[in-house]
Amino acid sequence: MNTSAEPVGTLDTALEHANRLLETKPQLAAEQAREILRHFPQQRMARLLLAVAQRKCGDVDAALAALRQLCAEQPGWALAHQQLGETLGAAGETDGAIEALR
């Protein structure tokens, strides 16, 4: 019997775990996000977490491609636009960053 207070094996738990890993272990966060996407290929938060992890691991081009696609598919999702702006800023594309954050 599982006596843990936290549910085990849920999508929300997996997403939370990936999010917690972003700051200290972005490579592991990317792996967690990829595993989620293996089961839920269009899960938008997992796609966002993967893109942020890619940026934090130095793969800005992959992050930009993923975030641009997410923003095109989800034009009203402010969090995706914020991350696109941050990633464009990290790539030195100041004008694009400002536009994404608007």
Side-chain angles (χ1 to χ4, degrees):
M1 177 177 191
N2 184 359
T3 59
S4 172
E6 184 175 17
V8 176
T10 68
L11 176 58
D12 287 339
T13 301
L15 289 167
E16 289 171 13
H17 181 63
N19 193 45
R20 281 191 306 269
L21 289 168
L22 272 178
E23 289 306 313
T24 58
K25 298 177 182 172
Q27 184 62 38
L28 290 178
E31 289 176 25
Q32 178 74 20
R34 284 187 187 98
E35 182 62 21
I36 294 166
L37 291 168
R38 193 167 69 81
H39 298 282
F40 304 95
Q42 295 304 315
Q43 212 296 325
R44 74 180 193 166
M45 184 56 75
R47 292 170 63 198
L48 181 80
L49 289 169
L50 176 57
V52 173
Q54 288 170 322
R55 180 185 76 225
K56 289 179 178 275
C57 289
D59 193 353
V60 175
D61 291 337
L64 282 173
L67 290 166
R68 285 183 172 129
Q69 183 174 0
L70 268 175
C71 288
E73 293 170 7
Q74 306 277 327
W77 192 20
L79 186 55
H81 287 275
Q82 175 192 359
Q83 291 301 327
L84 177 59
E86 289 182 25
T87 304
L88 286 165
E93 297 182 31
T94 307
D95 292 340
I98 292 168
E99 183 61 31
L101 293 170
R102 286 189 179 143

